[in-house]
Amino acid sequence: MKIIRLRDGKERSLLRRHPWIFDGAIAKGGGDAGETVRVESHAGQFLGWAAFSPASKIRARVWSFDEAQRIDAAFFEGRIAQALKARERFDIQSDGRRLVHGESDGLPGLVVDRYGDTLVAQFSSCGAEKWKSVIVEALLAQTGLTRIYERSDASSRALEGLPEVTGWLKGSGETGITITEHDWKLSLDIAEGHKTGFYLDQRDSRQKFAAYTRRLKFGQVLNCYCYTGGFTVAALAGGAGHVTSIDSSAPAIERARANVALNGFDAGRTTLLDADVNASLRQYQKEGRTFDAIVLDPPKFAPTVTHAERAARAYKDINRLALSILSPGGVLFTYSCSGGISADLFHKIVASAGTDAGVDAFISERMGGAPDHPMTVAFPEGEYLKGLVLVKRVGG
């Protein structure tokens, strides 16, 4: 077994059971891509078993902090069983759900989502890649399913020195799938859609938005970066008078249109625009148009903290514009899915946007990812999705 030894003082995060080891923390040692290595402190104390990644800044990811643990097929079978068992404790109102959430489930670099009778897996680290065949067999055996599609096309693969890979791992067939979420039907494509096909992490936020719409009887709703129309369907289900939905992807807009029809809503209650969100917000501001509720759910502006400053400007701009066209007493659901933007920083960005817009607002709620996308106490980086529900003050 190969050994990596850390620099003096670099063992502290591992003693707190944080699973990442950065390249600068390593004094000596190494391994092949995905190889299991023994991690020791500068003094030779055992710290963990980790998967080595020669090309990544995150040079090793810990599988286990138990010295007696063997990293073998039984280990992965056990971790997958634990992840599936955990989902039984969560309230998941959908047959689309996350089954494995990387580090939070003790399986760094592995994401697995279930859409009805189909699994979609993403292997984004050298360690997960090395054990792919074992993981696939364990997933199929424990779920009883026969189809699993690979979506290992995230940009993080390049940081690991891995090529993008997509396609069927087991089974075959159509990649278009319809799932049930709450009382709605939502169609998606696991081969073409974002992430593994859909934004399952916003499931509870969509339900919350429908509840706000129902309670406050929103007349005009604006859904920005609408993708395939999840929040649009939620607003219509809540009884919104009219929903304007904007996305710069024509295929996403067509899927949103299909989802509106799939749920039996009158197409006349929607306007679906293939357009730039920022430009559209500026145009609405110029026209003096206002909305009772706005959703801002943009793509990842800051994948890492190095992108945070530029991303902060982008987040501030869209929130400033949204707050300026929100009716007094109106509600803004605003989100950041950027790992490089902390919840505290996002709050400050939105506050600054309000100041520039001359708007004050109450924070009604703080939102996060659905419970099947868990954050653990040892791995706060798992909290990538942050949201604020703001109620615009009347007269402010």
Side-chain angles (χ1 to χ4, degrees):
M1 183 65 65
K2 293 179 182 177
I3 297 172
I4 61 172
R5 186 157 291 186
L6 303 188
R7 298 182 187 277
D8 192 22
K10 295 297 184 180
E11 73 282 352
R12 295 189 186 96
S13 64
L14 274 78
L15 292 173
R16 294 193 299 269
R17 293 186 167 250
H18 192 286
W20 289 353
I21 303 167
F22 289 91
D23 57 348
I26 298 173
K28 63 179 181 178
D32 296 329
E35 184 176 6
T36 299
V37 295
R38 178 185 172 96
V39 184
E40 294 181 351
S41 69
H42 187 71
Q45 173 191 5
F46 172 82
L47 296 172
W49 301 111
F52 196 74
S53 181
S56 177
K57 288 289 186 182
I58 305 175
R59 195 54 52 92
R61 291 172 168 83
V62 176
W63 291 127
S64 174
F65 296 95
D66 179 1
E67 189 170 6
Q69 178 74 65
R70 289 177 59 87
I71 308 303
D72 54 15
F75 167 80
F76 290 96
E77 290 163 2
R79 283 288 166 89
I80 289 168
Q82 290 171 7
L84 298 182
K85 192 72 174 174
R87 270 61 188 173
E88 296 175 8
R89 310 297 298 175
F90 302 143
D91 181 16
I92 306 171
Q93 300 296 318
S94 177
D95 59 355
R97 57 185 59 194
R98 176 146 297 180
L99 300 184
V100 179
H101 190 54
E103 284 82 352
S104 295
D105 285 303
L107 292 166
L110 176 65
V111 163
V112 182
D113 290 334
R114 176 172 182 167
Y115 298 101
D117 65 354
T118 303
L119 297 175
V120 183
Q122 188 174 86
F123 302 85
S124 59
S125 70
C126 288
E129 179 73 19
K130 183 176 179 65
W131 290 95
K132 184 187 292 184
S133 61
V134 168
I135 289 168
V136 168
E137 292 304 320
L139 286 166
L140 294 174
Q142 294 188 39
T143 60
L145 301 181
T146 59
R147 301 204 315 163
I148 181 166
Y149 194 88
E150 181 172 9
R151 280 295 303 271
S152 298
D153 53 353
S155 58
S156 56
R157 290 268 297 187
L159 301 176
E160 294 281 307
L162 298 170
E164 294 185 1
V165 182
T166 61
W168 289 105
L169 289 165
K170 283 292 177 69
S172 60
E174 295 296 322
T175 56
I177 295 174
T178 298
I179 62 171
T180 300
E181 180 178 291
H182 309 302
D183 296 324
W184 323 317
K185 299 288 184 182
L186 296 168
S187 66
L188 56 104
D189 192 313
I190 58 173
E192 301 295 335
H194 295 176
K195 302 176 78 172
T196 65
F198 193 60
Y199 290 101
L200 295 173
D201 50 4
Q202 288 284 35
R203 181 191 314 113
D204 291 359
S205 283
R206 288 187 284 267
Q207 183 184 43
K208 181 72 70 173
F209 191 65
Y212 268 74
T213 304
R214 192 174 297 113
R215 180 170 60 85
L216 298 177
K217 297 179 173 55
F218 297 143
Q220 293 293 322
V221 172
L222 176 62
N223 181 14
C224 300
Y225 310 98
C226 70
Y227 187 43
T228 56
F231 278 102
T232 301
V233 169
L236 293 169
H242 191 276
V243 185
T244 300
S245 305
I246 307 173
D247 200 282
S248 59
S249 165
I253 287 293
E254 288 311 306
R255 178 74 65 174
R257 195 183 313 279
N259 281 330
V260 169
L262 184 62
N263 288 277
F265 296 122
D266 179 3
R269 293 171 60 197
T270 65
T271 299
L272 293 151
L273 301 175
D274 174 5
D276 178 75
V277 167
N278 202 289
S280 298
L281 290 173
R282 292 179 188 281
Q283 183 62 32
Y284 293 147
Q285 184 185 48
K286 182 179 178 181
E287 294 171 356
R289 185 173 176 186
T290 59
F291 296 87
D292 302 310
I294 299 174
V295 178
L296 285 180
D297 188 20
K300 189 184 297 183
F301 288 164
T304 67
V305 292
T306 58
H307 301 87
E309 185 177 346
R310 183 176 62 184
R313 291 194 294 270
Y315 283 119
K316 180 179 176 180
D317 197 38
I318 59 172
N319 278 278
R320 177 184 60 80
L321 290 166
L323 285 167
S324 71
I325 63 172
L326 188 65
S327 301
V331 178
L332 171 64
F333 275 58
T334 182
Y335 297 91
S336 165
C337 64
S338 295
I341 302 290
S342 68
D344 180 59
L345 177 56
F346 185 58
H347 183 163
K348 291 176 180 176
I349 292 168
V350 175
S352 181
T355 299
D356 284 7
V359 168
D360 195 9
F362 299 104
I363 297 177
S364 177
E365 298 188 53
R366 296 179 183 273
M367 305 298 292
D372 50 340
H373 296 64
M375 175 186 70
T376 67
V377 293
F379 188 67
E381 289 86 349
E383 188 184 18
Y384 66 96
L385 180 61
K386 289 79 58 175
L388 294 172
V389 181
L390 305 178
V391 179
K392 186 173 179 177
R393 290 178 66 114
V394 177

